[in-house]
């Protein structure tokens, strides 16, 4: 083959593979995306519970930069044991609530009761909590409590959930201007697609419908909230 | 001899190279989070991203260089299967790392 054609083939094929990988990931791209207005007025806290090192690492890699890019300030915590980091989290949350008009919380943990860490904070501060996303299994019923505490919106999962699939879509679309309702829809749809693919690949051993029942997220409170909204 | 058949070795080398990012992904989280290891989490994101960028780009370059040399120096009956067997899996894995990096950087 001539060098020119060989060069074209060896340059084009990896591009095709990249396109295939993007297609397999199942989410649209957000190239050269802008940050929603009001970045300096919002903050975010994320906390990851004590899981295997690979999960902690993956969650950190995926979450940290997105929060830094789209929020005026962000804090990321990884627990080394159950209950670990309570004072650091509360101190950072208090500071965020005192400094920023709105604060979003990402509770990236198995079934949890971080709400108890937040309850003692003064009501005037708690009212600044805007959106809470909780990956915890069976943590959907916490919605009422979070809304009563002052949050504007809450997203949770009803049962044994495979929330990482949902979180991948939710975070990206929420940060790129979707309303919570839209991000929820994309997240649930994207997650279902992944489950169907897993079911197909595993020749039916992975039960997509059963897993989906426990994983389908719901949104409570102001579902029309956007990242750039202020109270 | 090596000069003549060297390009034939580059393609398997490109695929074998993929063991390194696999080891990186296996070892880094353990080094960071297992008890007794002292890597500061604040540096983890930067160092992990540097590693992943390096492995993604190196993997793509190696596989593409191997494919180019195979296509220019050998008959299609040799180059084709070699590319299919060695370069394509390397491209696929490297593209996966590249996409992960771009997502983690919040660029796409």
């Amino acid at each position: 083959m001539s060098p020119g054609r060989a060069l074209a083939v060896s340059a084009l094929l990896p591009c095709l593979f990249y396109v295939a990988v993007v297609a397999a990931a199942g989410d649209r791209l957000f190239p050269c995306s802008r940050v929603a207005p009001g970045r300096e007025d919002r903050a975010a806290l994320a906390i990851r519970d004590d899981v295997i090192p690979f999960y902690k690492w993956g969650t950190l890699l995926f979450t940290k930069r997105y929060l830094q890019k789209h929020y005026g300030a962000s804090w990321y915590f990884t627990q080394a044991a159950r209950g670990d980091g309570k004072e650091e989290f509360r101190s950072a949350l208090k500071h965020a609530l005192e400094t920023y008009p709105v604060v979003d919380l990402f509770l990236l943990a198995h079934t949890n009761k971080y709400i108890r860490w937040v309850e003692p904070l003064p009501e005037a501060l708690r009212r600044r909590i805007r959106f809470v996303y909780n990956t915890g299994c069976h943590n959907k019923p916490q919605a009422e409590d979070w809304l009563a505490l002052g949050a504007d919106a809450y997203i949770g999962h009803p049962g044994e959930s495979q929330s990482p699939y949902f979180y991948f879509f939710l975070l990206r679309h929420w940060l790129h201007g979707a309303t919570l309702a839209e991000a929820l829809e994309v997240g649930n749809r994207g997650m279902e697609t992944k489950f169907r693919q897993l079911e197909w690949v595993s020749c039916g051993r992975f039960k997509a419908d059963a897993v989906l029942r426990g994983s389908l997220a719901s949104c409570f409170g102001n579902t029309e909230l956007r990242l750039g909204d202020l109270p | 001899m090596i000069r003549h058949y060297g390009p034939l070795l580059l393609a398997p080398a490109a695929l074998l190279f993929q063991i390194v990012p696999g080891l990186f992904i296996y070892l880094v989280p353990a080094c960071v989070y297992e008890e007794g290891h002292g890597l500061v989490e604040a540096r983890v994101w930067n160092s992990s991203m540097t590693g992943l960028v390096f492995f993604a780009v190196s993997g793509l370059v190696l596989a593409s260089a191997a494919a180019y040399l195979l296509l220019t120096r050998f008959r299609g009956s040799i180059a084709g299967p070699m590319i299919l067997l060695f370069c394509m899996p390397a491209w696929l894995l490297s593209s996966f790392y590249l996409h992960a990096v771009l997502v983690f950087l919040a660029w796409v």
Side-chain angles (χ1 to χ4, degrees):
Chain A
M1 189 180 281
S2 72
R5 283 184 67 186
L7 190 65
V9 169
S10 49
L12 194 66
L13 277 175
C15 297
L16 290 177
F17 274 98
Y18 183 76
V19 171
V21 167
V22 171
D27 196 15
R28 58 159 291 197
L29 298 181
F30 299 96
C32 311
S33 62
R34 290 185 183 168
V35 175
R39 178 180 180 272
E40 62 285 355
D41 293 323
R42 57 180 180 260
L45 277 85
I47 185 163
R48 169 84 253 197
D49 62 343
D50 184 28
V51 284
I52 62 167
F54 181 73
Y55 291 170
K56 289 182 183 180
W57 186 64
T59 312
L60 173 83
L61 291 190
F62 177 62
T63 306
K64 196 169 181 175
R65 176 73 188 124
Y66 274 112
L67 298 188
Q68 282 175 345
K69 182 178 177 182
H70 293 273
Y71 289 89
S74 62
W75 289 263
Y76 188 92
F77 299 91
T78 304
Q79 292 184 294
R82 198 168 176 83
D84 178 45
K86 180 179 177 183
E87 284 316 308
E88 292 89 338
F89 181 86
R90 278 173 62 171
S91 164
L93 179 58
K94 188 163 180 285
H95 173 72
L97 293 169
E98 286 168 346
T99 316
Y100 294 88
V102 292
V103 176
D104 294 341
L105 298 181
F106 296 89
L107 310 176
L108 313 173
H110 291 88
T111 311
N112 62 77
K113 290 187 176 169
Y114 293 117
I115 191 166
R116 290 189 182 158
W117 293 10
V118 181
E119 278 168 348
L121 291 170
E123 189 186 348
L125 290 182
R126 292 194 320 249
R127 294 272 161 213
R128 292 185 169 191
I129 297 174
R130 184 177 60 170
F131 163 49
V132 179
Y133 171 54
N134 193 340
T135 66
C137 297
H138 305 285
N139 277 155
K140 179 177 155 183
Q142 280 187 14
E144 272 184 34
D145 298 330
W146 277 104
L147 296 182
L149 214 60
D152 295 324
Y154 176 89
I155 288 182
H157 300 270
E160 295 287 329
S161 79
Q162 295 293 329
S163 51
Y165 295 94
F166 174 81
Y167 176 55
F168 172 76
F169 296 98
L170 173 85
L171 185 69
R172 284 163 55 79
H173 285 262
W174 160 249
L175 295 180
H176 289 100
T179 65
L180 280 179
E182 290 163 349
L184 180 88
E185 171 65 19
V186 172
N188 279 334
R189 205 160 9 95
M191 179 170 63
E192 182 175 358
T193 304
K194 291 289 140 207
F195 290 173
R196 301 277 173 226
Q197 289 168 349
L198 280 173
E199 188 172 57
W200 185 78
V201 168
S202 68
C203 302
R205 281 193 295 276
F206 181 89
K207 306 289 182 197
D209 285 322
V211 180
L212 199 60
R213 271 195 296 279
S215 301
L216 269 181
S218 304
C219 186
F220 301 86
N222 183 3
T223 58
E224 291 308 303
L225 204 62
R226 285 182 199 274
L227 182 66
D229 291 348
L230 285 173
Chain B
M1 182 89 167
I2 286 179
R3 194 172 170 180
H4 188 70
Y5 291 105
L8 276 181
L9 297 177
L10 192 59
L15 185 57
L16 273 176
F17 176 76
Q18 293 302 320
I19 293 172
V20 185
L23 281 173
F24 180 82
I25 289 168
Y26 179 76
L27 291 174
V28 167
C31 288
V32 174
Y33 292 110
E34 289 285 356
E35 276 186 68
H37 291 84
L39 244 179
V40 182
E41 196 187 41
R43 291 190 211 142
V44 171
W45 195 90
N46 287 335
S47 49
S48 301
M49 291 307 293
T50 308
L52 287 174
V53 167
F54 172 76
F55 292 124
V57 173
S58 306
L60 286 170
V61 169
L62 260 178
S64 290
Y68 176 80
L69 290 174
L70 285 168
L71 287 169
T72 50
R73 297 191 186 181
F74 296 92
R75 286 195 308 271
S77 58
I78 295 174
M82 293 280 285
I83 289 172
L84 193 73
L85 203 64
F86 298 114
C87 298
M88 288 196 171
W91 274 324
L92 187 65
L93 287 166
S94 301
S95 299
F96 175 74
Y97 299 135
L98 180 68
H99 186 53
V101 161
L102 294 177
V103 167
F104 295 158
L105 284 167
W107 285 359
V108 297

